Structure formats: structure tokens, C-alpha cells
Amino acid sequence: MNKEKLKDYCLSLLGATHDYQPEWQADRYHVGGKMFAMMGTDANGRSVITLKCEPSRAEGLRETYEGIIPGYYMNKTHWNSIYFDSNLSDEFVEKLIQHSYELIFSKLTKKLRNQITSE
């Protein structure tokens, strides 16, 4: 997976913002102040992207793809982490990023969603 391409994809989503969490050494991507993606490393220094996922889909992805694990340092039911050195395509991971973004966006208040879509 190409980290820069995925960073650009995250920022291309409507209303997406970025910050860096020094304590975690992680890049975080938000919509409406809520995180939908985080790029950092696990305890062994392997690069991961962590994404929100609908729980039943999250479990299925973990069972199907070796490079997808329960969310590192996150709620294991609602978040998955994907190793950058896995053999998953950027396009597949972009779809997972989009799914994460949509889950977060749909939980925002109607007022905030309207604010973001009218920017």
C-alpha cells in the first residue's frame, strides 16, 4: 500500500481534516471532529492504518485477510487495523477508508452534516 496515496485519499473526502498525535506518533483524519482513520505503528514498529468498520463486516474482513487485525489501541469490535506491508491494494483500502468515513459522517448531527456538505 502506498501511504502517501492513502493520506491524500483521506484528505480528499468532504470535510476531512488532519492532525498529528505526538504521543501516539500517529496521523489522524477526522470529519466533523470525529476520527475516521489513523496511521501509525504497532508495538513492533509495523505501519498500520486503523479504520472504523461495521462490526459484522470487521470480523469477516479479519477472517478473510491476514493483513487485517482488530483495531490496534482501539475498540476491537468497531475498528480494524491494516498492515501497510500486507498485499491489499490501495483501491481496496480506499473502499475501507470510505466505509469508515461514511460510518462517522452518518453519526454527526444533521446540522454538522449540512454544514460540511455546503462547504
Side-chain angles (χ1 to χ4, degrees):
M1 292 187 303
N2 181 310
K3 191 173 189 175
E4 291 306 313
K5 183 177 177 186
L6 295 179
K7 284 181 175 185
D8 290 344
Y9 183 77
C10 286
L11 287 173
S12 76
L13 299 172
L14 191 62
T17 59
H18 166 265
D19 72 8
Y20 182 75
Q21 176 69 285
E23 297 83 24
W24 302 343
Q25 297 181 349
D27 289 286
R28 301 184 309 170
Y29 299 86
H30 305 83
V31 62
K34 305 287 184 187
M35 187 174 71
F36 67 89
M38 181 172 65
M39 294 184 198
T41 57
D42 69 6
N44 298 319
R46 286 179 72 189
S47 294
V48 295
I49 181 170
T50 301
L51 304 168
K52 190 157 181 97
C53 192
E54 191 279 318
S56 63
R57 183 176 183 195
E59 189 64 35
L61 289 168
R62 292 176 204 154
E63 290 172 2
T64 306
Y65 300 100
E66 187 178 315
I68 300 179
I69 62 169
Y72 187 71
Y73 273 127
M74 303 296 278
N75 180 313
K76 310 287 187 235
T77 303
H78 297 277
W79 294 83
N80 277 342
S81 291
I82 305 162
Y83 288 111
F84 273 89
D85 60 6
S86 68
N87 62 354
L88 301 173
S89 71
D90 287 347
E91 292 75 22
F92 180 70
V93 178
E94 285 173 2
K95 288 179 182 174
L96 297 177
I97 292 169
Q98 181 69 39
H99 175 68
S100 179
Y101 171 90
E102 289 170 0
L103 286 173
I104 299 298
F105 187 84
S106 71
K107 299 294 184 190
L108 300 176
T109 64
K110 184 176 181 180
K111 179 180 178 182
L112 191 50
R113 287 194 311 265
N114 287 339
Q115 207 173 16
I116 291 167
T117 57
S118 67
E119 290 177 350

